[in-house]
Amino acid sequence: MICVSTRGKSPAVPFRDAVLAGLAPDGGLYVSATLERRSEEWWNALRGRSFQDVAVAMAQALIGDEFAPGELTALVTSALDFPIPIIHLEDRLQVVELFHGPTFAFKDFGARMLARFMSHVHAGAEPLTVLVATSGDTGSAVAHAFFGVPGTRVVVLYPEGQVSAVQEAQFTTLGGNVSAVAVAGTFDDCQRLAKEAFANETLKARVTLTSANSISLGRLVPQMFYYAYAALQADRRQPITVSVPSGNFGNLVAGVMAWKMGAPLASFVAATTVNDTVPRYLDSGRFEPRPSVATLANAMDVGNPSNFERLQWLFDGDRAAMRGAISSSVHTDDDVRRAIGELHRRYGYVADPHTAIAYLGTQAPKPSRLRQGYGGQASPPAPKPSSPLVFLSTAHPAKFREVVEPAIGKTVQLPDALAAALERPRFVERIGATLGELSKLL
Ligand SMILES: *Cc1c(COP(=O)(O)O)cnc(C)c1O
């Protein structure tokens, strides 16, 4: 894969270099300049195959030129070793569950694949130390992603006493190559410490430090696989429309990449909270980021989605083309509570708030209150009504029990693995919020 920057002012590099770099030198994001469209026969040959088969075939086609035979298969199958159930709710409505990885959220796809790519590309030199500051969720996704990956070590900095019990249990009970460090201070102190460590030359001469960059192209490639897998399962071989609960828009970008590669996808719905910078752009043509507002679907509360730059690049800056492929729908917290109740009443399906927004995206967009503020612009095109609708479920409902339980009037069981983590002994080191103490530990 040849990777170029969205800003066009960095040299083209192979995928391996783009993965290690994270951001391009010109400040842009790496995108694939060689996303070749595959034929209908190529895709048809993958119908009826397992998720891992589809993933390996796509990975070979995309980046196989940069790995020795067998290597890529091993990386993909070890990273993506959890089930991806597709649940049929009614004729032409299905939900794809992407939360069966170790941290019960779909970020496991990107984080686990990126961890293996980084360890592989780095192999041979001294161990890679991944330093991450967390207020809760990022720490567990990164810790689990690198847990047991050879040649790597993860150090998670978190504010002592300020993360939830379940979150803390997820990254302090692993042991092995994962060190959890409780900092006497706030999340801001943790972030400052990490920044100081990355900037410290003496420390960097001694330890190979890296961050697990959230905008790395290495995270998006594995997310393409489940779009294709879901599309290949569709009844009557009809291309599907996928509703994507979107925040930073990495997930949707991966879908568009799978579509460009020729996977049988008809269109997308960008479903968002009231943090609707991209839907407003689709309506008005103006990209106007705003400070984010807190909602029930907090992983989607992004006011300035960084992957918008990739989306624009993929459509060559042509908004009409983007609107032809992507419609949008914007939802309030009240909509979310109502949708969680409706999914449960109609289908007996229990959804978390992010998934509820994706579900709402499958309903033909009505001109909502929110939209009336858009200066009389026409509503965006509705999802193609003829194609089967699929929505992506991105988190386990037990992670959001306090919202889900009142909406369905029932308790939600913690998954066994989460319940077990709460019982296990914790391995925590404690430090004051100084670089001196952190350096000693590294
Ligand atoms: C991160 C996240 C999203 C949003 O995904 P993007 O790729 O940032 O658009 C949706 N749901 C959950 C549960 C998430 O953690």
Side-chain angles (χ1 to χ4, degrees):
M1 180 185 280
I2 296 170
C3 302
V4 296
S5 164
T6 47
R7 303 202 180 159
K9 297 201 174 65
S10 299
V13 295
F15 176 75
R16 304 167 71 104
D17 293 2
V19 162
L20 272 194
L23 215 60
D26 64 1
L29 304 184
Y30 279 115
V31 280
S32 165
T34 47
L35 203 58
E36 194 190 320
R37 193 179 177 81
R38 300 285 150 163
S39 68
E40 216 177 306
E41 296 76 67
W42 192 87
W43 291 104
N44 280 338
L46 291 172
R47 284 188 194 272
R49 304 274 289 278
S50 70
F51 171 73
Q52 287 206 338
D53 286 350
V54 173
V56 167
M58 289 176 75
Q60 279 297 346
L62 290 161
I63 50 177
D65 57 332
E66 296 181 38
F67 295 83
E71 270 178 3
L72 191 54
T73 305
L75 291 176
V76 171
T77 53
S78 77
L80 309 179
D81 59 352
F82 44 86
I84 299 160
I86 300 182
I87 293 158
H88 184 93
L89 298 181
E90 64 175 77
D91 191 32
R92 312 175 87 71
L93 184 65
Q94 292 181 316
V95 51
V96 181
E97 290 189 348
L98 303 174
F99 59 73
H100 295 274
T103 71
F104 302 96
F106 91 110
K107 298 265 190 326
D108 285 331
F109 282 88
R112 285 172 67 80
M113 201 70 252
L114 181 65
R116 281 157 185 80
F117 283 145
M118 285 179 80
S119 136
H120 182 81
V121 171
H122 179 75
E126 71 281 23
L128 197 59
T129 300
V130 182
L131 183 62
V132 57
T134 187
S135 56
D137 273 343
T138 319
S140 48
V142 172
H144 278 269
F146 283 88
F147 179 56
V149 173
T152 68
R153 170 182 176 217
V154 187
V155 177
V156 182
L157 303 176
Y158 71 102
E160 176 146 34
Q162 292 177 45
V163 305
S164 81
V166 170
Q167 286 171 333
E168 192 175 29
Q170 283 196 287
F171 59 78
T172 57
T173 57
L174 289 167
N177 65 333
V178 175
S179 312
V181 180
V183 175
T186 61
F187 171 58
D188 290 338
D189 290 322
C190 297
Q191 271 196 312
R192 174 180 52 78
L193 274 184
K195 271 200 196 130
E196 285 175 8
F198 287 125
N200 189 291
E201 296 303 329
T202 335
L203 185 58
K204 282 202 301 196
R206 186 162 61 79
V207 194
T208 313
L209 276 185
T210 184
S211 67
N213 210 313
S214 70
I215 40 76
S216 170
L217 187 59
R219 286 193 173 217
L220 297 190
V221 165
Q223 293 185 245
M224 297 167 68
F225 306 156
Y226 51 73
Y227 283 92
Y229 174 66
L232 292 168
Q233 308 295 313
D235 292 342
R236 300 186 284 274
R237 300 196 167 195
Q238 284 181 336
I240 60 173
T241 288
V242 186
S243 178
V244 187
S246 298
N248 211 18
F249 279 75
N251 202 359
L252 188 71
V253 163
V256 172
M257 287 166 70
W259 172 66
K260 287 212 146 187
M261 202 182 161
L265 295 152
S267 63
F268 301 92
V269 183
T272 70
T273 64
V274 294
N275 294 289
D276 59 350
T277 302
V278 172
R280 280 186 287 113
Y281 165 81
L282 288 170
D283 278 353
S284 70
R286 288 188 298 274
F287 186 71
E288 295 170 331
R290 288 180 186 164
S292 68
V293 178
T295 75
L296 296 178
N298 54 23
M300 289 158 61
D301 292 340
V302 182
N304 188 3
S306 30
N307 281 297
F308 179 70
E309 214 168 302
R310 284 191 168 114
L311 208 54
Q312 274 222 309
W313 187 90
L314 283 163
F315 287 99
D316 219 0
D318 179 348
R319 182 170 63 107
M322 205 190 286
R323 282 167 55 112
I326 306 171
S327 59
S328 59
S329 72
V330 178
H331 305 283
T332 63
D333 282 352
D334 283 343
D335 296 338
V336 166
R337 291 196 190 86
R338 182 178 55 72
I340 294 173
E342 183 174 301
L343 274 164
H344 185 248
R345 269 195 318 279
R346 274 198 196 156
Y347 310 112
Y349 190 75
V350 181
D352 95 291
H354 305 80
T355 306
I357 289 188
Y359 164 67
L360 287 166
T362 63
Q363 303 179 337
K366 302 164 200 77
S368 68
R369 262 183 306 109
L370 289 162
R371 287 206 177 283
Q372 285 162 14
Y374 294 169
Q377 296 282 339
S379 297
K384 302 227 164 43
S386 57
S387 59
L389 294 166
V390 168
F391 61 102
L392 302 182
S393 175
T394 49
H396 194 293
K399 291 189 94 171
F400 297 88
R401 286 198 287 187
E402 59 303 338
V403 181
V404 177
E405 289 180 346
I408 65 173
K410 266 177 51 177
T411 56
V412 178
Q413 287 296 322
L414 270 190
D416 292 346
L418 267 189
L422 281 167
E423 303 295 316
R424 272 200 293 275
R426 307 197 172 182
F427 308 97
V428 181
E429 302 182 68
R430 292 190 167 72
I431 62 168
T434 67
L435 184 62
E437 289 198 46
L438 176 61
S439 298
K440 247 186 264 158
L441 189 140
L442 290 173

